Amino acid sequence: MKDTGWTPTGAPGAFYECPRWHEGVWWVSDFYADRIVTVAGDGRTTTVLGLDGDHPGGLGWLPGGALLFVAMRARKVMRPEPDGSLVVHADLAPYCEGPANDMLVLPDGTAFVGCFGFDLNAGEHPRTAALLGVLPDGTVRVAAEDLVFPNAAVLTDHGRTLVVGETFAGRHTAFTVTPDGRLDERRTWAQVVPSPPLGPTGEMIAGLRYAPDGCAVDVSGDLWVADALHGRVVRVREGEGIVEQLDLPDGLGAFACGLGGDDGRTLLVCAAPDFDPRARAAARDSVLLTTRVRVPAA
């Protein structure tokens, strides 16, 4: 389906990512503008936090309402204080190769953060990386190892299962969440395309027919996933793969998506012409697109 019912919302940004529906508005990281914004229902876009030289990644909230965000280059989870200062909630650097990335914060405040595993923008070859667990007090531990670019994660099965996308492996991997917040029983949730062998980044990108980036889960347990290399968002089902596809307008790639709105049926996509950091930082070509879906957010 080409150009299927997309409605733009909000002001253009540098490179939007990691959308979250929270307290009636969208929260979005604008990577290369070094800011976090909110977007209201009427499209009004407000910068709620500007950073000094670092890129914000994944977003989430502690049980008491405090915002957490990933400082990608510093490889830290940061927390704004009521007085406007920023404090380090967790230092990921000893465990995280390459930039830190997306984050899932559980209802109890436990967070899971993915790492690139290599310096993508410097042309390093992909290598495996860890998914990190951050306890509510900021303690960091390795939750899972040997993932190929662990990216966005969601909870399914009433919070009993964590599913994480492996961008350079074309798959989603699941774990059982134990009562103490650890990950167990690793298994393949959906191998959407065959995983290419690790090698030069350009060769892997050229051969990868599905690259899961940001995602959201609906009430049926399916995932809406931004395919970062093919200008589309797809609905992925456990054990089956892609069951629905929405193509973006020509010239735009899909790099993250979220489900929200008052009834949970608004699918918001973070779109941009490409993911080149220099080109994106120099322009304001990233847009937020919305459409309506049948099955609401979990």
Side-chain angles (χ1 to χ4, degrees), residues 75-226:
R75 293 175 292 168
K76 292 178 169 63
V77 177
M78 305 297 295
R79 187 182 70 246
E81 293 287 85
D83 63 4
S85 63
L86 291 177
V87 299
V88 176
H89 180 73
D91 185 0
L92 311 173
Y95 312 91
C96 183
E97 294 289 332
N101 192 21
D102 212 340
M103 175 173 63
L104 170 69
V105 181
L106 275 56
D108 69 353
T110 300
F112 291 95
V113 186
C115 300
F116 280 34
F118 65 103
D119 192 337
L120 173 64
N121 295 326
E124 288 186 355
H125 293 182
R127 52 183 178 266
T128 59
L131 181 68
L132 303 179
V134 179
L135 299 182
D137 65 0
T139 301
V140 181
R141 61 192 184 193
V142 175
E145 296 182 285
D146 297 323
L147 296 161
V148 188
F149 204 124
N151 211 318
V154 296
L155 286 181
T156 68
D157 191 26
H158 304 286
R160 291 187 290 265
T161 300
L162 181 144
V163 181
V164 60
E166 293 186 72
T167 300
F168 275 74
R171 69 171 169 248
H172 300 269
T173 297
F175 300 86
T176 298
V177 182
T178 66
D180 63 352
R182 296 181 184 273
L183 301 183
D184 197 8
E185 298 177 332
R186 178 174 179 163
R187 59 217 182 256
T188 297
W189 191 85
Q191 184 74 56
V192 178
V193 299
S195 299
L198 291 177
T201 301
E203 293 180 8
M204 292 191 71
I205 288 176
L208 193 58
R209 294 184 287 112
Y210 172 69
D213 204 328
C215 69
V217 61
D218 67 27
V219 75
S220 73
D222 293 343
L223 306 186
W224 277 105
V225 186

